[in-house]
Amino acid sequence: QVQLVESGGGLVQAGGSLRLSCADAGRILSNYAMGWFRQAPGKEREIVASIGRNGGDTYYADAVKGRFTISRDNAKNTLFIQMDSLRPAHTAVYSCALSCLYYTTNARQYAVWGQGTQVTVSS
């Protein structure tokens, strides 16, 4: 089955913005809670943000509150994360994932993962 596919990563200067997208041609994403995760070199994967099926419930890691905004467009079957005021510490591979639950912030409850997209923030 086609997996989640992220796009929108790249190289950006500190203070800049990026918008990541996550799509899946084989699933109706509105049936799933979804999340964004990241893994920096030498570090464990961590949750960045999550969103419930209808978009009404959201969670942000403390490190990104006020800078990142997660959203979903169920009509377009796409998940987004808007990342503003980026800093070098935000450099990582960002991945989207889905959970069969209505809403969860627990990474262990996400069952399907994308390959990830590299975000590099230069100083």
Side-chain angles (χ1 to χ4, degrees):
Q1 190 169 8
V2 176
Q3 299 295 311
L4 295 169
V5 178
E6 302 92 342
S7 61
L11 174 64
V12 63
Q13 290 187 332
S17 298
L18 283 174
R19 187 192 195 201
L20 306 184
S21 300
C22 171
D24 189 322
R27 296 180 180 89
I28 300 174
L29 295 184
S30 60
N31 291 333
Y32 304 92
M34 300 200 69
W36 285 100
F37 298 79
R38 67 184 179 189
Q39 186 166 21
K43 295 186 177 180
E44 294 186 354
R45 184 169 58 194
E46 60 180 354
I47 187 169
V48 175
S50 63
I51 188 167
R53 291 183 186 178
N54 69 357
D57 299 292
T58 57
Y59 163 84
Y60 296 94
D62 288 343
V64 305
K65 282 181 180 177
R67 297 177 183 267
F68 292 10
T69 304
I70 189 171
S71 63
R72 64 192 305 163
D73 186 335
N74 287 337
K76 295 182 178 179
N77 210 41
T78 305
L79 174 73
F80 303 99
I81 190 162
Q82 176 69 39
M83 306 188 296
D84 298 320
S85 301
L86 285 163
R87 301 181 300 178
H90 296 135
T91 295
V93 175
Y94 285 73
S95 302
C96 62
L98 61 82
S99 168
C100 293
L101 300 178
Y102 182 86
Y103 171 64
T104 179
T105 62
N106 186 341
R108 295 180 180 181
Q109 294 174 326
Y110 285 83
V112 179
W113 298 79
Q115 291 295 313
T117 184
Q118 177 69 46
V119 171
T120 302
V121 185
S122 63
S123 58

